[in-house]
């Protein structure tokens, strides 16, 4: 026996199939996070030349948009502070830059003109192997106020729950 579908039944079936097929993509959609490049911290005016937030945990596939909120800053990966086999980045001064992160690990970054003033930050890409490059990142050579800023970031990282 042949069953004929009405136009309404066909549309309902097509809509249901499309929704089911799109659901995994929706559940695993990448998120774009934002880090501001600032002359002064928004919550503590004594802190100058900062990334806000300076420590950010993201999922694989997410991206981070570094926003040149104040002039004179950029974002660049820090030498020796990204996972092996991943490419670094270097944004231009005063320009917004979006960086995608696919591999779990620690990604240190700096503002090239202000790194010695402590303008540094860390993106943690969660997942298996998120802390594999911790020792290498901690042993990277630092100068000026960056040493103290990194010490504070390592303490904040130790307190983070990376299981979620």
């Amino acid at each position: 026996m042949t069953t004929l579908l009405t136009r309404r039944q066909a549309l309902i079936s097509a809509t249901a199939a499309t929704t089911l097929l799109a659901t995994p993509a929706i559940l695993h959609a990448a998120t774009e996070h934002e880090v501001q490049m600032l002359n002064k911290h928004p919550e503590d005016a004594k802190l100058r030349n900062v990334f806000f937030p300076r420590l950010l945990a993201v999922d694989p596939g997410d991206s981070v948009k570094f926003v040149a909120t104040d002039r004179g800053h950029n974002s660049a990966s820090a030498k020796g502070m990204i996972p092996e086999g991943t490419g670094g980045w270097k944004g231009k001064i005063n320009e917004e830059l979006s960086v995608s992160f696919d591999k779990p690990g620690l990604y240190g970054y700096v503002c090239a003109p202000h790194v010695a003033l402590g303008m540094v930050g860390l993106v943690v890409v969660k997942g298996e192997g998120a802390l594999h490059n911790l020792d290498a990142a901690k042993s990277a050579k630092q100068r000026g106020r960056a040493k103290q800023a990194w010490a504070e970031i390592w303490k904040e990282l130790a307190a983070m729950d990376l299981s979620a």
Side-chain angles (χ1 to χ4, degrees):
M1 175 174 178
T2 306
T3 304
L4 295 176
L5 291 177
T6 66
R7 176 181 264 184
R8 183 175 186 184
Q9 289 171 322
L11 286 172
I12 291 170
S13 296
T15 302
T18 302
T19 302
L20 287 174
L21 291 174
T23 299
I26 292 168
L27 292 176
H28 300 291
T31 301
E32 184 173 62
H33 304 269
E34 188 173 291
V35 172
Q36 295 178 37
M37 299 180 273
L38 301 167
N39 292 335
K40 64 180 178 179
H41 195 283
E43 297 166 0
D44 185 351
K46 295 177 199 168
L47 298 175
R48 302 284 187 189
N49 298 309
V50 296
F51 289 104
F52 184 77
R54 70 176 179 185
L55 176 59
L56 185 62
V58 304
D59 292 314
D62 287 357
S63 62
V64 175
K65 180 175 22 172
F66 295 94
V67 180
T69 308
D70 294 328
R71 297 187 56 75
H73 305 292
N74 78 327
S75 171
S77 55
K79 186 175 180 181
M81 298 185 79
I82 61 174
E84 282 187 40
T86 60
W89 70 91
K90 184 173 183 180
K92 294 180 181 179
I93 302 293
N94 301 326
E95 286 191 4
E96 203 169 88
L97 173 70
S98 186
V99 180
S100 295
F101 297 94
D102 296 319
K103 183 177 180 179
L106 303 176
Y107 295 78
Y109 60 90
V110 302
C111 171
H114 301 113
V115 63
L117 298 175
M119 192 168 178
V120 300
L122 184 70
V123 173
V124 181
V125 181
K126 298 183 280 186
E128 187 175 332
L131 300 176
H132 276 88
N133 65 318
L134 177 61
D135 291 336
K138 280 185 168 182
S139 66
K141 186 176 180 179
Q142 304 299 334
R143 57 191 174 101
R145 292 186 193 153
K147 289 179 187 179
Q148 179 183 350
W150 282 116
E152 293 167 3
I153 290 171
W154 300 134
K155 286 180 187 175
E156 292 171 32
L157 176 65
M160 281 182 95
D161 178 14
L162 298 175
S163 62

